[in-house]
């Protein structure tokens, strides 16, 4: 048993001053103003903030590793480095590829075993059942009609974590497909889509609960054809993934999302690719080659291909554009957990996993604790 202490603890639904977080067996057992007598082991962080670890529900890789292309050892290395950016849990995302390659990925990823690093709390298949006109960096050659049989095989490799599929609801049979996936307890998000407002509403009624990177790879908002963007902003139960790298969205667009969704439904994600955490260069994104120039990954034709964003940077960017820090933290911790129906994480409360980060006054990650174990200290 040990305790952590900082001048400020953000849970993130509350701000607590001069509070000890008592940890035992990887769990938060109590929040206390004073410690019991003879309690010796305390990690104290002066002038720092303790927050829950970040939860990134949309990443394709980082630190030179693309999760689709990497071997098991390299995936382990990627997982081992994520805590450097404050990420204590994450949801790896595939890209559109052949069934064989998605199956190979699923076999590989589900066999990695325990790794000291960020915890895998879900799996996200981004496509291949999307709209070819909204492919973006997704490989057009492998975009195809929805297949429940494929999804059953692919998600079958991941029994202990949440499963999610990004679907374009307007494709042939799209709405029935969403209903079937929900019946299989698979989370559905809509994205890479030209859905009309009505089709998006139908998708939400059928059980879709998230929009994959709102605005990006969705039909543009038009006042007479408002589309999926407007449906997502209007429907109060829908979670909106937001890539806050200052490249994918103009800050004013982020502000609009925040005004409509608030911190309870806006989710900060990285959509990061192998180049995240590194300098410029050429990297793989599944079957596709991408170039990172001035920190921005693109296909050779200039199409944006994910980001080099990290979660700590996303939170800093949110604060930079005027979103209150406590709200930015919520959108990087508790809200993503709720979107992916992950329990026991994302909030500093008794009984939850002791996945904690320590931030300095400039919001840099000073230390990361994974289930109570100190991982990273500058
Ligand atoms: Zn993505």
């Amino acid at each position: 048993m040990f305790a952590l202490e900082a001048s400020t603890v953000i849970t993130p639904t509350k701000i607590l001053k001069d509070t000890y977080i008592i940890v035992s067996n990887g769990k938060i057992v109590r929040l206390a103003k004073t410690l019991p007598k003879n309690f010796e082991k305390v990690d104290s962080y002066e002038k720092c903030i303790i927050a829950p670890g970040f939860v990134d529900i949309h990443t394709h890789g980082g630190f030179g590793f693309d999760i689709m292309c990497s071997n098991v050892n390299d995936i382990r290395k990627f997982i081992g480095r994520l805590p450097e950016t404050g990420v204590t849990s994450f949801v790896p995302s595939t890209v559109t590829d052949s069934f064989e390659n998605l199956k190979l990925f699923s076999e590989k990823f589900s066999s990695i075993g325990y790794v000291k690093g960020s915890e895998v709390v879900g799996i996200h298949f981004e496509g291949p059942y999307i709209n070819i006109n909204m492919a973006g960096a997704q490989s057009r050659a492998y975009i195809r009609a929805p297949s429940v049989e494929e999804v059953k095989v692919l998600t079958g490799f991941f029994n202990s974590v949440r499963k999610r599929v990004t679907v374009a609801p307007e494709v042939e049979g799209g709405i029935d497909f969403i209903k079937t996936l929900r019946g299989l307890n698979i989370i559905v998000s809509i994205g890479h889509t030209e859905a009309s407002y009505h089709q998006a509403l139908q998708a939400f009624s059928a059980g879709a609960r998230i929009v994959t990177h709102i605005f990006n790879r969705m039909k543009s908002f038009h006042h007479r054809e408002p589309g999926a963007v407007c449906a997502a902003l209007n429907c109060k139960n829908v979670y909106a993934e937001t890539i806050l790298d200052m490249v994918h969205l103009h800050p004013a667009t982020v502000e609009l999302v925040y005004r409509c969704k608030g911190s309870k439904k806006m989710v900060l994600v990285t959509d990061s690719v192998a180049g995240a955490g590194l300098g410029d260069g050429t990297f793989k994104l599944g079957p596709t080659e991408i170039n990172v120039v001035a920190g921005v990954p693109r296909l050779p034709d200039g199409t944006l291909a994910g980001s080099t964003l990290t979660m700590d940077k996303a939170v800093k960017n949110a604060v930079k554009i005027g979103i209150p820090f406590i709200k930015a933290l919520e959108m990087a911790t508790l809200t993503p957990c709720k979107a992916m129906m992950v329990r026991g994480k994302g909030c500093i409360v008794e009984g939850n996993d002791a996945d904690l980060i320590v931030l300095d006054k400039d919001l840099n990650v000073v230390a990361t604790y994974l289930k109570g174990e100190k991982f990273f200290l500058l």
Side-chain angles (χ1 to χ4, degrees), residues 58-60 93-95 124 126 138 192 212-213 241 243 271-273 285 306:
H58 189 157
T59 173
H60 300 279
S93 289
T94 63
V95 289
H124 170 212
E126 190 174 3
Q138 303 273 341
H192 292 269
T212 301
H213 42 57
E241 279 192 0
I243 308 174
D271 197 11
S272 59
V273 296
L285 176 60

PDB file of all heavy atoms in Angstrom, residues 58-60 93-95 124 126 138 192 212-213 241 243 271-273 285 306, ligand 1:
ATOM      1  N   HIS A  58      -8.485   5.698 -30.327  1.00  0.00           N
ATOM      2  CA  HIS A  58      -8.276   5.623 -31.777  1.00  0.00           C
ATOM      3  C   HIS A  58      -6.812   5.907 -32.097  1.00  0.00           C
ATOM      4  O   HIS A  58      -6.408   7.060 -32.220  1.00  0.00           O
ATOM      5  CB  HIS A  58      -9.209   6.626 -32.474  1.00  0.00           C
ATOM      6  CG  HIS A  58      -9.237   6.491 -33.968  1.00  0.00           C
ATOM      7  ND1 HIS A  58     -10.295   6.932 -34.726  1.00  0.00           N
ATOM      8  CD2 HIS A  58      -8.349   5.972 -34.857  1.00  0.00           C
ATOM      9  CE1 HIS A  58     -10.057   6.695 -36.010  1.00  0.00           C
ATOM     10  NE2 HIS A  58      -8.878   6.117 -36.110  1.00  0.00           N
ATOM     11  N   THR A  59      -6.019   4.836 -32.220  1.00  0.00           N
ATOM     12  CA  THR A  59      -4.621   4.999 -32.623  1.00  0.00           C
ATOM     13  C   THR A  59      -4.215   3.857 -33.545  1.00  0.00           C
ATOM     14  O   THR A  59      -4.637   2.709 -33.356  1.00  0.00           O
ATOM     15  CB  THR A  59      -3.666   5.066 -31.417  1.00  0.00           C
ATOM     16  OG1 THR A  59      -2.310   5.065 -31.889  1.00  0.00           O
ATOM     17  CG2 THR A  59      -3.843   3.904 -30.459  1.00  0.00           C
ATOM     18  N   HIS A  60      -3.390   4.201 -34.523  1.00  0.00           N
ATOM     19  CA  HIS A  60      -2.866   3.193 -35.461  1.00  0.00           C
ATOM     20  C   HIS A  60      -1.401   2.879 -35.179  1.00  0.00           C
ATOM     21  O   HIS A  60      -0.821   2.014 -35.822  1.00  0.00           O
ATOM     22  CB  HIS A  60      -2.994   3.695 -36.899  1.00  0.00           C
ATOM     23  CG  HIS A  60      -4.400   3.983 -37.306  1.00  0.00           C
ATOM     24  ND1 HIS A  60      -5.269   3.008 -37.707  1.00  0.00           N
ATOM     25  CD2 HIS A  60      -5.117   5.139 -37.319  1.00  0.00           C
ATOM     26  CE1 HIS A  60      -6.445   3.553 -37.979  1.00  0.00           C
ATOM     27  NE2 HIS A  60      -6.385   4.843 -37.737  1.00  0.00           N
ATOM     28  N   SER A  93      -6.492   0.719 -33.511  1.00  0.00           N
ATOM     29  CA  SER A  93      -7.388   0.774 -34.669  1.00  0.00           C
ATOM     30  C   SER A  93      -6.716   0.142 -35.876  1.00  0.00           C
ATOM     31  O   SER A  93      -5.564   0.454 -36.173  1.00  0.00           O
ATOM     32  CB  SER A  93      -7.735   2.221 -34.999  1.00  0.00           C
ATOM     33  OG  SER A  93      -8.583   2.761 -34.035  1.00  0.00           O
ATOM     34  N   THR A  94      -7.465  -0.695 -36.563  1.00  0.00           N
ATOM     35  CA  THR A  94      -6.977  -1.247 -37.825  1.00  0.00           C
ATOM     36  C   THR A  94      -7.269  -0.239 -38.933  1.00  0.00           C
ATOM     37  O   THR A  94      -7.975   0.749 -38.722  1.00  0.00           O
ATOM     38  CB  THR A  94      -7.702  -2.552 -38.170  1.00  0.00           C
ATOM     39  OG1 THR A  94      -9.087  -2.260 -38.365  1.00  0.00           O
ATOM     40  CG2 THR A  94      -7.543  -3.582 -37.059  1.00  0.00           C
ATOM     41  N   VAL A  95      -6.768  -0.511 -40.132  1.00  0.00           N
ATOM     42  CA  VAL A  95      -7.214   0.219 -41.320  1.00  0.00           C
ATOM     43  C   VAL A  95      -7.831  -0.799 -42.274  1.00  0.00           C
ATOM     44  O   VAL A  95      -7.705  -2.011 -42.082  1.00  0.00           O
ATOM     45  CB  VAL A  95      -6.061   0.981 -42.008  1.00  0.00           C
ATOM     46  CG1 VAL A  95      -5.621   2.169 -41.180  1.00  0.00           C
ATOM     47  CG2 VAL A  95      -4.894   0.055 -42.324  1.00  0.00           C
ATOM     48  N   HIS A 124     -10.622  -1.648 -32.362  1.00  0.00           N
ATOM     49  CA  HIS A 124     -11.456  -0.859 -33.272  1.00  0.00           C
ATOM     50  C   HIS A 124     -11.105  -1.217 -34.716  1.00  0.00           C
ATOM     51  O   HIS A 124      -9.971  -1.035 -35.140  1.00  0.00           O
ATOM     52  CB  HIS A 124     -11.206   0.638 -33.018  1.00  0.00           C
ATOM     53  CG  HIS A 124     -11.812   1.554 -34.035  1.00  0.00           C
ATOM     54  ND1 HIS A 124     -11.235   2.752 -34.387  1.00  0.00           N
ATOM     55  CD2 HIS A 124     -12.947   1.463 -34.773  1.00  0.00           C
ATOM     56  CE1 HIS A 124     -11.988   3.357 -35.308  1.00  0.00           C
ATOM     57  NE2 HIS A 124     -13.029   2.593 -35.561  1.00  0.00           N
ATOM     58  N   GLU A 126     -11.516   0.021 -38.129  1.00  0.00           N
ATOM     59  CA  GLU A 126     -11.913   1.225 -38.875  1.00  0.00           C
ATOM     60  C   GLU A 126     -12.105   0.800 -40.330  1.00  0.00           C
ATOM     61  O   GLU A 126     -11.165   0.735 -41.106  1.00  0.00           O
ATOM     62  CB  GLU A 126     -10.848   2.318 -38.736  1.00  0.00           C
ATOM     63  CG  GLU A 126     -11.339   3.659 -39.280  1.00  0.00           C
ATOM     64  CD  GLU A 126     -10.360   4.799 -39.028  1.00  0.00           C
ATOM     65  OE1 GLU A 126      -9.269   4.556 -38.490  1.00  0.00           O
ATOM     66  OE2 GLU A 126     -10.696   5.939 -39.390  1.00  0.00           O
ATOM     67  N   GLN A 138      -7.675   5.407 -46.302  1.00  0.00           N
ATOM     68  CA  GLN A 138      -8.015   3.972 -46.271  1.00  0.00           C
ATOM     69  C   GLN A 138      -7.896   3.407 -47.692  1.00  0.00           C
ATOM     70  O   GLN A 138      -8.286   4.060 -48.659  1.00  0.00           O
ATOM     71  CB  GLN A 138      -9.450   3.783 -45.772  1.00  0.00           C
ATOM     72  CG  GLN A 138      -9.720   4.373 -44.403  1.00  0.00           C
ATOM     73  CD  GLN A 138      -9.394   3.424 -43.262  1.00  0.00           C
ATOM     74  OE1 GLN A 138      -9.283   2.224 -43.449  1.00  0.00           O
ATOM     75  NE2 GLN A 138      -9.240   3.973 -42.075  1.00  0.00           N
ATOM     76  N   HIS A 192     -16.142   7.813 -42.204  1.00  0.00           N
ATOM     77  CA  HIS A 192     -15.805   7.650 -43.628  1.00  0.00           C
ATOM     78  C   HIS A 192     -17.105   7.497 -44.407  1.00  0.00           C
ATOM     79  O   HIS A 192     -17.328   6.525 -45.104  1.00  0.00           O
ATOM     80  CB  HIS A 192     -14.868   6.452 -43.828  1.00  0.00           C
ATOM     81  CG  HIS A 192     -13.502   6.675 -43.242  1.00  0.00           C
ATOM     82  ND1 HIS A 192     -12.456   7.208 -43.956  1.00  0.00           N
ATOM     83  CD2 HIS A 192     -13.013   6.453 -41.991  1.00  0.00           C
ATOM     84  CE1 HIS A 192     -11.382   7.303 -43.177  1.00  0.00           C
ATOM     85  NE2 HIS A 192     -11.703   6.850 -41.975  1.00  0.00           N
ATOM     86  N   THR A 212     -16.773   8.620 -35.806  1.00  0.00           N
ATOM     87  CA  THR A 212     -15.326   8.507 -35.948  1.00  0.00           C
ATOM     88  C   THR A 212     -14.792   9.821 -36.526  1.00  0.00           C
ATOM     89  O   THR A 212     -15.236  10.260 -37.570  1.00  0.00           O
ATOM     90  CB  THR A 212     -14.994   7.321 -36.883  1.00  0.00           C
ATOM     91  OG1 THR A 212     -15.549   6.136 -36.302  1.00  0.00           O
ATOM     92  CG2 THR A 212     -13.496   7.142 -37.067  1.00  0.00           C
ATOM     93  N   HIS A 213     -13.841  10.402 -35.855  1.00  0.00           N
ATOM     94  CA  HIS A 213     -13.264  11.722 -36.171  1.00  0.00           C
ATOM     95  C   HIS A 213     -14.261  12.653 -36.886  1.00  0.00           C
ATOM     96  O   HIS A 213     -14.240  12.803 -38.096  1.00  0.00           O
ATOM     97  CB  HIS A 213     -11.915  11.647 -36.884  1.00  0.00           C
ATOM     98  CG  HIS A 213     -11.739  10.618 -37.963  1.00  0.00           C
ATOM     99  ND1 HIS A 213     -12.542  10.548 -39.068  1.00  0.00           N
ATOM    100  CD2 HIS A 213     -10.821   9.631 -38.102  1.00  0.00           C
ATOM    101  CE1 HIS A 213     -12.116   9.577 -39.844  1.00  0.00           C
ATOM    102  NE2 HIS A 213     -11.094   8.999 -39.283  1.00  0.00           N
ATOM    103  N   GLU A 241     -15.693  11.706 -31.678  1.00  0.00           N
ATOM    104  CA  GLU A 241     -14.225  11.702 -31.681  1.00  0.00           C
ATOM    105  C   GLU A 241     -13.728  12.986 -32.331  1.00  0.00           C
ATOM    106  O   GLU A 241     -14.227  13.390 -33.388  1.00  0.00           O
ATOM    107  CB  GLU A 241     -13.707  10.550 -32.545  1.00  0.00           C
ATOM    108  CG  GLU A 241     -13.684   9.207 -31.904  1.00  0.00           C
ATOM    109  CD  GLU A 241     -12.888   8.222 -32.768  1.00  0.00           C
ATOM    110  OE1 GLU A 241     -12.379   8.596 -33.841  1.00  0.00           O
ATOM    111  OE2 GLU A 241     -12.791   7.079 -32.358  1.00  0.00           O
ATOM    112  N   ILE A 243     -10.112  15.015 -33.458  1.00  0.00           N
ATOM    113  CA  ILE A 243      -8.648  15.010 -33.589  1.00  0.00           C
ATOM    114  C   ILE A 243      -8.171  16.446 -33.381  1.00  0.00           C
ATOM    115  O   ILE A 243      -8.337  17.288 -34.259  1.00  0.00           O
ATOM    116  CB  ILE A 243      -8.195  14.505 -34.978  1.00  0.00           C
ATOM    117  CG1 ILE A 243      -8.837  13.146 -35.307  1.00  0.00           C
ATOM    118  CG2 ILE A 243      -6.676  14.396 -35.039  1.00  0.00           C
ATOM    119  CD1 ILE A 243      -8.548  12.662 -36.728  1.00  0.00           C
ATOM    120  N   ASP A 271      -5.778   9.407 -33.422  1.00  0.00           N
ATOM    121  CA  ASP A 271      -5.734   8.837 -34.790  1.00  0.00           C
ATOM    122  C   ASP A 271      -4.277   8.809 -35.258  1.00  0.00           C
ATOM    123  O   ASP A 271      -3.971   9.024 -36.435  1.00  0.00           O
ATOM    124  CB  ASP A 271      -6.618   9.657 -35.756  1.00  0.00           C
ATOM    125  CG  ASP A 271      -6.936   8.879 -37.040  1.00  0.00           C
ATOM    126  OD1 ASP A 271      -6.668   7.668 -37.090  1.00  0.00           O
ATOM    127  OD2 ASP A 271      -7.446   9.499 -37.994  1.00  0.00           O
ATOM    128  N   SER A 272      -3.378   8.521 -34.315  1.00  0.00           N
ATOM    129  CA  SER A 272      -1.947   8.634 -34.602  1.00  0.00           C
ATOM    130  C   SER A 272      -1.456   7.487 -35.469  1.00  0.00           C
ATOM    131  O   SER A 272      -1.983   6.366 -35.416  1.00  0.00           O
ATOM    132  CB  SER A 272      -1.154   8.664 -33.292  1.00  0.00           C
ATOM    133  OG  SER A 272      -1.404   7.485 -32.565  1.00  0.00           O
ATOM    134  N   VAL A 273      -0.444   7.783 -36.252  1.00  0.00           N
ATOM    135  CA  VAL A 273       0.185   6.780 -37.109  1.00  0.00           C
ATOM    136  C   VAL A 273       1.634   6.594 -36.665  1.00  0.00           C
ATOM    137  O   VAL A 273       2.089   7.244 -35.717  1.00  0.00           O
ATOM    138  CB  VAL A 273       0.100   7.203 -38.597  1.00  0.00           C
ATOM    139  CG1 VAL A 273      -1.354   7.263 -39.048  1.00  0.00           C
ATOM    140  CG2 VAL A 273       0.788   8.552 -38.834  1.00  0.00           C
ATOM    141  N   LEU A 285       1.197   2.751 -43.178  1.00  0.00           N
ATOM    142  CA  LEU A 285      -0.111   2.762 -42.515  1.00  0.00           C
ATOM    143  C   LEU A 285      -0.859   1.590 -43.124  1.00  0.00           C
ATOM    144  O   LEU A 285      -1.405   1.706 -44.219  1.00  0.00           O
ATOM    145  CB  LEU A 285      -0.845   4.082 -42.749  1.00  0.00           C
ATOM    146  CG  LEU A 285      -2.276   4.170 -42.189  1.00  0.00           C
ATOM    147  CD1 LEU A 285      -2.315   3.986 -40.678  1.00  0.00           C
ATOM    148  CD2 LEU A 285      -2.943   5.495 -42.558  1.00  0.00           C
ATOM    149  N   GLY A 306      -4.092  10.190 -41.044  1.00  0.00           N
ATOM    150  CA  GLY A 306      -3.924  10.133 -39.596  1.00  0.00           C
ATOM    151  C   GLY A 306      -3.128  11.334 -39.119  1.00  0.00           C
ATOM    152  O   GLY A 306      -3.006  12.348 -39.828  1.00  0.00           O
TER     153      GLY A 306
HETATM  154 ZN1  LIG B   1      -7.980   6.184 -37.987  1.00  0.00          ZN
END
